[in-house]
Amino acid sequence: MTLLALLGDYTLQKVAIGAALLGLISGVLGSFAVLRKQSLLGDTLSHAALPGVCLGFIIAGGRELGSILTGALVTGTLAALTMLLLTRMSRLKTDAALGVALSVFFAVGVVLLTYIQGGNNASQGGLDSFLFGQAAATLTSDLWVMATITAIALALVTVLWKEFKLVSFDPEFAACSGLPVILLEATMTVMIALAVVVGLQMVGVVLMAAMIIAPAVAARQWTKRLEHMVLLAAAFGIVGGVCGAVISAMGPGLATGPLIILSLSLIVVVSLLLAPGRGFAWELYKLRRDRRTLRTQQVLTTLYRLARHHRDPAFRSDQGMVDAYHGTNTRRALQYLAGKGWVRFESPHAGDPATQPHWALTESGRHEAERILTELEGASR
């Protein structure tokens, strides 16, 4: 099947639109969770959705999507409120409260799942799809539900942008300013539960945690501003979702949910490696640059001190003497200084016993060495 024919496939179009909507809402809401240091929140709420899925199945008597999603939203919200209650009413830290809520709700979900599997209900076979997702089963009506929830979430974020921003960065100041911090935190948490419900059909309970966190983590590497981070996270979520859907359609038997997560993970890896200012490659480059700067400054100030000791501004230092002073080969550092115009190379004069090349400070090199020493003296006071 050609790429053009693949893109024209109706099933793929539905899955891609659903994945894009899921990536959009996950990226936007996940940004606030990451900034509030609640990266485990998505993990907790997605696992807490499992008992709701099972309860919805038991109440409806079958695999009825509306009942299952409602149950997932209720238990996800209960888990979120439990976590908030534990952090507010006890001395538990956020990560401990998230761990408690996750383990308790997921354990209840596993018990209910095994109870259903032990029954004789013939429709229980499709219940496992909510663990790992079943994107191919997405219907047009599901897309409308996802689009409606996404639109509501984006509208709330737009209306409460300043409040969410202040609560995310400085909740104490927000409380002093009269904002209802607890209500705003509960609203943000419940909205993430909504995002989890949106993603149950697409990627499932187990992988939904990565869907919430991955786009925001990748976006955080590229920018320091919340506005840019939210937009980038949304874009990363959409790209990862659509790429995962297209790749899964290119081969038989490829699961869409895991491929969406793998696509997002690739974006995270690239961001961690290459993002300017925060990426590993940038940190490595900065470390090498700082080391070179330190080495060249040490060599430059050594030449300056030697010239001052001999009371000769144009004193020529032997290459071997500078190497011995620093205990290593300083040729590259001296060549770098020469490129800057701070030292000049001089061949040994006729009759000199030494055969090594000589280096002497230039006028600008003396000024630079004096500036470095002055800064060091000022810093040591």
Side-chain angles (χ1 to χ4, degrees), residues 185-207:
E185 287 183 341
T187 303
M188 282 191 282
T189 306
V190 171
M191 287 168 65
I192 293 175
L194 276 174
V196 171
V197 170
V198 169
L200 283 181
Q201 177 81 6
M202 192 66 61
V203 298
V205 167
V206 176
L207 297 177

Side-chain angles (χ1 to χ4, degrees), residues 161-231:
W161 175 260
K162 290 182 180 178
E163 289 79 2
F164 284 171
K165 184 177 181 179
L166 190 55
V167 170
S168 298
F169 284 103
D170 197 342
E172 289 80 13
F173 180 74
C176 294
S177 302
L179 290 179
V181 174
I182 296 178
L183 180 60
L184 289 170
E185 287 183 341
T187 303
M188 282 191 282
T189 306
V190 171
M191 287 168 65
I192 293 175
L194 276 174
V196 171
V197 170
V198 169
L200 283 181
Q201 177 81 6
M202 192 66 61
V203 298
V205 167
V206 176
L207 297 177
M208 193 55 210
M211 197 72 205
I212 293 288
I213 299 304
V217 169
R220 187 72 180 92
Q221 293 295 113
W222 295 92
T223 181
K224 297 179 181 178
R225 295 185 62 84
L226 177 61
E227 297 85 351
H228 299 163
M229 178 181 171
V230 170
L231 292 176

Side-chain angles (χ1 to χ4, degrees), residues 33-51:
V34 170
L35 290 176
R36 292 162 62 204
K37 299 180 181 179
Q38 293 180 349
S39 297
L40 276 176
L41 184 60
D43 199 19
T44 301
L45 298 190
S46 57
H47 283 77
L50 181 60

Side-chain angles (χ1 to χ4, degrees), residues 32-311:
F32 293 100
V34 170
L35 290 176
R36 292 162 62 204
K37 299 180 181 179
Q38 293 180 349
S39 297
L40 276 176
L41 184 60
D43 199 19
T44 301
L45 298 190
S46 57
H47 283 77
L50 181 60
V53 170
C54 296
L55 286 173
F57 181 89
I58 293 172
I59 293 172
R63 192 174 175 278
E64 202 277 314
L65 189 61
S67 175
I68 287 175
L69 293 185
T70 303
L73 178 61
V74 170
T75 55
T77 304
L78 279 177
L81 297 178
T82 301
M83 184 274 296
L84 288 175
L85 189 65
L86 287 174
T87 53
R88 291 283 177 182
M89 305 298 292
S90 71
R91 295 188 177 183
L92 283 180
K93 299 295 183 183
T94 302
D95 55 345
L98 287 170
V100 170
L102 184 152
S103 55
V104 170
F105 278 82
F106 190 63
V108 173
V110 172
V111 170
L112 291 175
L113 186 62
T114 53
Y115 169 76
I116 294 172
Q117 288 174 338
N120 297 320
N121 193 327
S123 59
Q124 63 176 280
L127 202 57
D128 291 344
S129 63
F130 287 97
L131 286 176
F132 303 103
Q134 192 174 23
T138 303
L139 303 174
T140 304
S141 57
D142 300 335
L143 293 181
W144 280 110
V145 173
M146 296 171 70
T148 303
I149 295 176
T150 303
I152 292 172
L154 294 180
L156 277 174
V157 170
T158 303
V159 171
L160 300 173
W161 175 260
K162 290 182 180 178
E163 289 79 2
F164 284 171
K165 184 177 181 179
L166 190 55
V167 170
S168 298
F169 284 103
D170 197 342
E172 289 80 13
F173 180 74
C176 294
S177 302
L179 290 179
V181 174
I182 296 178
L183 180 60
L184 289 170
E185 287 183 341
T187 303
M188 282 191 282
T189 306
V190 171
M191 287 168 65
I192 293 175
L194 276 174
V196 171
V197 170
V198 169
L200 283 181
Q201 177 81 6
M202 192 66 61
V203 298
V205 167
V206 176
L207 297 177
M208 193 55 210
M211 197 72 205
I212 293 288
I213 299 304
V217 169
R220 187 72 180 92
Q221 293 295 113
W222 295 92
T223 181
K224 297 179 181 178
R225 295 185 62 84
L226 177 61
E227 297 85 351
H228 299 163
M229 178 181 171
V230 170
L231 292 176
L232 266 180
F236 287 156
I238 293 172
V239 171
V242 173
C243 287
V246 172
I247 293 171
S248 69
M250 295 175 70
L254 295 178
T256 304
L259 285 172
I260 290 175
I261 301 304
L262 287 176
S263 300
L264 287 172
S265 300
L266 181 61
I267 295 174
V268 172
V269 170
V270 171
S271 301
L272 290 174
L273 287 175
L274 303 179
R278 290 175 177 264
F280 294 150
W282 174 265
E283 290 293 336
L284 185 62
Y285 164 75
K286 185 180 177 184
L287 180 63
R288 290 173 63 88
R289 186 190 62 185
D290 291 346
R291 283 180 177 174
R292 184 182 63 184
T293 302
L294 180 61
R295 173 66 58 82
T296 54
Q297 287 181 346
Q298 289 174 333
V299 172
L300 184 67
T301 52
T302 298
L303 294 179
Y304 177 80
R305 288 192 176 101
L306 287 171
R308 191 170 60 180
H309 177 74
H310 289 86
R311 299 180 181 178

